[in-house]
Amino acid sequence: MELPYQFSVTATTQEIRDENDSLAEGESSGKSVTIAGRLMLRRVQGKVAFGDLQDMTGRIQLFAPAKITPEYESFTSLNIGDWIGVSGEIMKTKRGELSVKVEQWVVLAPATRPFPDKWHGITDPDLRYRQRYVDLWVTEEARETFLMRSNMLSLTRRWLESKNFLEVETPVFHPIPGGALARPFSTHHNALDTELYLRIAPELYLKRLIVGGFEKVFEIARVFRNEGISTRHNPEFTMLELYQAYADWNDIMELAENLIEHLAVELTGSATITYDGKEIDLTSPWRRAPLIDLIEEHAGLKVSLETPVDELRSICDRLGIEVLPTYGAGKLLLEIYEKTVEPNLWEPCFVTEYPSEVSPLSREHRQKPGYTERFEAIIAGREILNGFSELVDPNEQQNRFEEQLAQNKAGDEEAMVVDSDYVRALEYGLPPTGGIGIGIDRLIMLLADVQTIRDVILFPTLRPEHKTNISSDSELPKD
C-alpha cells in the first residue's frame, strides 16, 4: 500500500461541531469537508458502517453506507488506531449524531500495533508514561491535562508581559552549579576540556541581567537536579523564575498570589479549586506566617535560633529526623519545620523568615538578625514557590558562598560553591531586587487536580525499560 506524502485538511472536528450543531435530526448540511485523524471506534451494521474519527480537537462520527463509500469492505476492515483521511458531506443522523459521510477515504498511516481497548484505556500506569504517544489518544484526562499545561504557560507569559516583564534565555550549561541547594548533573565539554553542569536554577544569570539594566526579567526554564524520583520530583522539570528591580519580598509575594489566582480563574473558572477531594481557596491575599511561629502552632515547640543546638538536635532525634554534624541552628529549624509543618499546610500560606544558614542568596531580615526576607508558598502540603528580597551586598554574598563551600566539603552535596563572577557582578551594583521561582509542574498538578508529577510531564524520567517496570505508586529514593 502506497501512503500519501501529504494530505490537505479543510476542517477540524471541533470546527464541524461548532458550525453545524444546529442541524436537525436526519438533515444534511450541503457542505463537504475533508478531515483527518485516527479511527478510534468502528462498528458495522450490514450495509452501513460507523466509526469515530479523532483529531487534536475531539471526535466526530463517520457515516459510511456501502452504496456511497468506496472500497466499503476495506473500510470495514480498518484497524482501530489507523490514521485516515475522509472527505464527505456533514449531516446529522436520525438519532441526532453529527456525522461526516464517507464519500472518499484514504489510509494515511496504518497502526500495526493494536490500540488498547477504548473503554479501559491503558491500565498499566508505567505503560502510560513510557508510551505517551498512545496514552494521549486513549486517556482523555491526560490529553486535557497537557492542554491545560500549555494554556497555563501561555497565560503566564501574557500576564507577565502585560506588567512589562521581559522574557529571556540563559545558559543551560553552567561552569559552576548555583542558584539553588541541589546536586547537579555534570558533563564534559571536549573542545574546551572542561567540566560543565546542567543548570539547577537560572537565578544567578537572571540577576546578572538586573545588574545589566533589564529591570524586570523572567524565564520559563528547564532545570535539572540529580536527585531521586517521586510523585513530586522528576530530575528534569520546569521553573518560572522572575526578578524585579526596586522590589522587595512583599512586592513579590503580592505578584505571586495575584498570578496564581489569575491562572486558577482562567483555567478552572474560579479561584476556588478542588484538589484531592478538598477545596482550596486561592483568592489573594494569602496568609503570611513566620517559620518558627508555624512550628509552635503545629508542633507545640517554641524554638528559634536562640535555642541551644543540642536541644534542637534532641528534638530532631525524637522526631526521627536524620541530621549531619555540620548542621547549625538554622538548618535544624528547617528540618523540624519540614517534618512537622509543611505537610499540614493546606490553604495557601506564605511561610516567611527563613534562617540565613539555609538561605544563601536571600537578603538579611531588616529587623531580625539571623533570619532573611525569604518566603515559600505552601499549598496542599507542598512547596509551590520560593522567593525573597535578593542579597545585594557582594561582601556578604562572598561570605555566604564560603560558608556553603565549607558545608559542601563537609559532605553536603547540595550545598553551593563560590561563584566569583557572580560576586563580581554584584560589585558593579545590584539595586534592591525581589525574585521568585515557581515550580510549573507542581502548579499544574494543583490546578489540574492530579496526584503525581508524572501525569503533568509528557515524557517523565523512568527506569530503563529492559531492567524493570515501575508502577505509578513506585518511587525511587529521593535525596
Side-chain angles (χ1 to χ4, degrees):
M1 174 173 50
E2 185 174 351
L3 300 174
Y5 281 73
Q6 184 267 354
F7 189 76
S8 296
V9 174
T10 64
T12 66
T13 59
Q14 186 61 53
E15 289 170 345
I16 293 170
R17 291 193 175 281
D18 290 344
E19 296 171 11
N20 298 276
D21 192 53
S22 61
L23 279 177
E25 295 177 1
E27 183 181 0
S28 294
S29 69
K31 298 181 291 186
S32 291
V33 291
T34 299
I35 57 177
R38 284 194 191 270
L39 184 67
M40 298 303 293
L41 178 67
R42 187 199 61 238
R43 59 191 185 281
V44 181
Q45 298 176 355
K47 292 298 183 179
V48 179
F50 299 89
D52 278 2
L53 182 139
Q54 180 173 325
D55 64 11
M56 186 174 177
T57 66
R59 291 192 182 192
I60 197 162
Q61 179 171 275
L62 302 177
F63 176 67
K67 62 182 178 181
I68 68 166
T69 301
E71 300 181 61
Y72 178 75
E73 295 300 325
S74 296
F75 182 84
T76 60
S77 299
L78 288 170
N79 293 318
I80 299 302
D82 283 349
W83 288 87
I84 61 173
V86 172
S87 296
E89 186 180 14
I90 302 167
M91 56 162 291
K92 190 168 280 189
T93 65
K94 292 179 181 179
R95 292 189 175 183
E97 186 67 35
L98 192 64
S99 308
V100 173
K101 289 182 183 177
V102 183
E103 297 170 356
Q104 295 181 25
W105 68 275
V106 62
V107 174
L108 303 176
T112 57
R113 284 178 177 265
F115 254 60
D117 187 313
K118 88 171 193 71
W119 300 113
H120 301 100
I122 302 178
T123 55
D124 179 357
D126 180 62
L127 197 61
R128 287 189 55 213
Y129 307 131
R130 205 173 292 280
Q131 297 184 18
R132 187 71 82 185
Y133 38 84
V134 179
D135 179 46
L136 291 170
W137 287 101
V138 299
T139 309
E140 185 63 28
E141 296 84 358
R143 182 189 281 280
E144 291 175 354
T145 294
F146 288 109
L147 289 173
M148 179 184 282
R149 180 187 177 114
S150 178
N151 289 337
M152 188 181 83
L153 292 174
S154 179
L155 287 164
T156 299
R157 283 188 166 95
R158 291 202 299 269
W159 192 86
L160 289 172
E161 287 167 353
S162 74
K163 298 185 180 303
N164 299 317
F165 278 86
L166 175 71
E167 184 172 11
V168 297
E169 294 177 306
T170 61
V172 172
F173 288 135
H174 288 188
I176 297 172
L181 301 175
R183 183 164 39 175
F185 289 95
S186 62
T187 187
H188 187 79
H189 190 284
N190 292 334
L192 294 177
D193 191 22
T194 188
E195 198 78 2
L196 293 172
Y197 303 89
L198 293 179
R199 67 179 170 198
I200 56 176
E203 176 170 343
L204 300 186
Y205 281 96
L206 290 171
K207 287 193 283 193
R208 283 174 171 95
L209 294 178
I210 299 290
V211 173
F214 289 152
E215 296 174 358
K216 289 183 173 184
V217 295
F218 78 95
E219 182 172 12
I220 297 176
R222 204 69 168 172
V223 295
F224 310 86
R225 298 184 183 178
N226 199 351
E227 55 191 19
I229 299 170
S230 76
T231 55
R232 301 185 186 186
H233 299 89
N234 192 70
E236 177 184 0
F237 61 101
T238 304
M239 291 283 291
L240 163 67
E241 289 212 13
L242 64 86
Y243 295 86
Q244 179 177 343
Y246 321 126
D248 70 359
W249 65 334
N250 292 308
D251 299 310
I252 301 301
M253 278 189 273
E254 183 179 354
L255 181 148
E257 64 192 1
N258 288 340
L259 169 60
I260 293 176
E261 179 184 6
H262 169 75
L263 293 174
V265 171
E266 290 294 318
L267 294 171
T268 73
S270 172
T272 299
I273 63 170
T274 299
Y275 185 75
D276 198 19
K278 293 188 283 187
E279 282 194 350
I280 301 174
D281 186 359
L282 298 173
T283 305
S284 60
W286 299 350
R287 183 188 181 191
R288 290 153 169 75
L291 181 144
I292 61 172
D293 290 359
L294 288 168
I295 293 175
E296 182 176 5
E297 178 182 319
H298 286 264
L301 297 169
K302 195 170 182 61
V303 291
S304 71
L305 291 175
E306 285 68 49
T307 304
V309 170
D310 288 345
E311 183 178 336
L312 294 174
R313 288 184 180 279
S314 177
I315 292 171
C316 287
D317 185 60
R318 191 166 70 247
L319 293 172
I321 301 170
E322 294 184 9
V323 299
L324 294 177
T326 55
Y327 288 0
K331 177 64 170 171
L332 295 170
L333 282 175
L334 179 64
E335 294 289 336
I336 294 168
Y337 154 78
E338 289 182 344
K339 178 75 171 183
T340 62
V341 179
E342 186 171 292
N344 301 310
L345 295 176
W346 187 259
E347 291 292 333
C349 179
F350 286 119
V351 181
T352 64
E353 300 178 12
Y354 281 69
S356 301
E357 180 184 348
V358 294
S359 312
L361 301 170
S362 307
R363 195 163 186 173
E364 196 81 2
H365 195 287
R366 63 195 81 181
Q367 296 170 336
K368 298 181 180 180
Y371 298 93
T372 62
E373 294 193 353
R374 175 186 167 193
F375 61 89
E376 288 187 359
I378 310 300
I379 307 175
R382 65 189 61 175
E383 175 200 343
I384 299 295
L385 57 87
N386 178 40
F388 32 85
S389 299
E390 305 297 328
L391 181 56
V392 299
D393 183 333
N395 296 324
E396 177 62 20
Q397 186 64 79
Q398 178 72 29
N399 292 337
R400 300 267 194 95
F401 278 150
E402 290 175 356
E403 291 169 2
Q404 285 286 303
L405 180 60
Q407 294 178 27
N408 185 281
K409 290 180 176 179
D412 186 351
E413 294 181 326
E414 294 187 351
M416 296 181 189
V417 295
V418 177
D419 188 335
S420 297
D421 178 72
Y422 178 67
V423 174
R424 179 171 58 189
L426 293 183
E427 290 172 346
Y428 283 96
L430 177 67
T433 298
I436 196 173
I438 300 177
I440 290 296
D441 309 285
R442 290 187 183 181
L443 182 55
I444 192 61
M445 285 174 64
L446 185 72
L447 296 178
D449 191 12
V450 299
Q451 313 308 313
T452 172
I453 197 169
R454 281 171 281 186
D455 281 338
V456 299
I457 295 176
L458 280 166
F459 300 101
T461 303
L462 302 170
R463 290 184 189 271
E465 189 171 7
H466 65 276
K467 289 185 177 180
T468 183
N469 287 330
I470 58 175
S471 74
S472 62
D473 296 325
S474 299
E475 296 187 10
L476 299 175
K478 183 195 176 295
D479 300 319

